[in-house]
Amino acid sequence: MQIKIAKDYAEMSRLAADMISRLIEDRPDAVLGLATGSTPVGLYEELVKRHKAGLDFSRVTTFNLDEYYGLHGEHPASYNYYMWEHLFGKINISQEKVNLPNGAAPDPEEECRRYEDKIAAAGGIDLQILGIGSNAHIGFNEPGTPFGSVTSLVKLAPATIQANARFFEREEDVPRKAFSMGIKSIMRCRSIVLLANGEGKADAVAAAVQGPVTEEVPASVLQLHPNCTFILDEAAAKKLSC
Ligand code: PGA
């Protein structure tokens, strides 16, 4: 696991954008794994800037980590909507190369199989961006999720529902379930970049990096990945002992 400590959120976002830009320059048909939430907003702003300066996304394929169950892709709180707002609508990516689980899928089990098969058919993910929950979840893989899990319909932890209530009018409106790539699906990615900023993530980051590898701390599994980088701002790195 490589740890990069940025002086602030803007630098964290730039370092992550550098890694993605390098990948796309080397491999114009790269397969990217993307995340939502507050953390990667700055990364997507950087990628939009780089696109304006010439970075070409026309052959890039993307897979998002997760999507709320029961929300249509046009719902403003859906992750599909978020991705078009923050990134896809502002770069030259082709709509057919963009993939998210369909939150309105009538048959959830079939949807999970379809998603895993599609990732496999694309040749797997070259670089996966992750955020981390304050409970150390990755994707919507909450504490206790088996490390062998693949894409599935999962229940959100009460802490996650509370944390995500800011994107909805009322906490009751936050869906209780979501589709999420599993821990095993994440570990299959050829490289992983986890971003974390702010003091609220410091305990989760320390547990993930320095604690035991345990299903109770989902992000701790990343200690076992051969090509994983954590990019942290100083506040999120505050509880690391080295
Ligand atoms: P955040 O979410 O980026 O909104 O903090 C991260 C996560 O829950 O994975």
Side-chain angles (χ1 to χ4, degrees):
M1 196 182 252
Q2 219 200 326
I3 312 283
K4 292 187 184 176
I5 301 179
K7 69 174 191 303
D8 56 19
Y9 179 76
E11 191 184 38
M12 177 197 82
S13 304
R14 279 196 302 274
L15 289 172
D18 288 346
M19 293 179 79
I20 292 184
S21 309
R22 270 200 301 274
L23 171 66
I24 297 175
E25 279 156 14
D26 283 358
R27 190 179 304 186
D29 61 349
V31 180
L32 298 179
L34 299 176
T36 49
S38 307
T39 310
V41 168
L43 161 63
Y44 297 148
E45 282 170 6
E46 271 298 317
L47 290 178
V48 170
K49 271 193 218 158
R50 289 164 200 226
H51 168 62
K52 286 185 180 146
L55 186 64
D56 178 18
F57 288 83
S58 63
R59 294 173 60 201
V60 169
T61 297
T62 64
F63 287 92
N64 265 77
L65 270 176
D66 44 21
E67 178 60 286
Y68 287 118
Y69 179 57
L71 291 195
H72 194 273
E74 304 305 311
H75 190 290
S78 73
Y79 288 162
N80 179 66
Y81 191 96
Y82 167 109
M83 287 309 302
W84 282 93
E85 280 288 296
H86 290 285
L87 184 65
F88 300 151
K90 298 177 174 173
I91 57 175
N92 67 332
I93 197 155
S94 129
Q95 185 153 14
E96 307 84 72
K97 290 187 160 60
V98 159
N99 298 280
L100 287 98
N102 172 10
D107 180 343
E109 274 182 32
E110 172 56 29
E111 178 59 8
C112 294
R113 270 195 302 274
R114 179 194 72 82
Y115 205 64
E116 281 289 329
D117 289 351
K118 202 145 186 214
I119 295 172
I125 292 172
D126 292 310
L127 187 157
Q128 175 69 53
I129 297 292
L130 296 177
I132 184 170
S134 50
N135 64 359
H137 74 195
I138 46 176
F140 273 128
N141 297 293
E142 304 287 16
T145 304
F147 283 167
S149 63
V150 293
T151 301
S152 49
L153 185 62
V154 299
K155 275 198 186 147
L156 308 194
T160 302
I161 293 170
Q162 230 174 28
N164 290 7
R166 67 191 195 276
F167 299 111
F168 293 83
E169 243 173 63
R170 300 168 309 168
E171 190 172 317
E172 302 90 89
D173 297 337
V174 182
R176 267 42 185 172
K177 290 183 180 173
F179 288 111
S180 179
M181 275 168 60
I183 299 281
K184 191 169 167 187
S185 333
I186 292 171
M187 290 296 279
R188 281 189 193 124
C189 301
R190 284 184 277 282
S191 63
I192 296 178
V193 176
L194 182 144
L195 304 179
N197 68 288
E199 233 181 299
K201 300 293 174 68
D203 285 323
V205 165
V209 174
Q210 292 169 339
V213 175
T214 161
E215 289 175 353
E216 291 312 311
V217 180
S220 67
V221 75
L222 300 172
Q223 292 179 30
L224 307 178
H225 194 281
N227 188 358
C228 177
T229 306
F230 276 39
I231 308 181
L232 311 169
D233 75 350
E234 283 174 2
K238 202 168 113 180
K239 303 229 167 134
L240 292 178
S241 55
C242 47

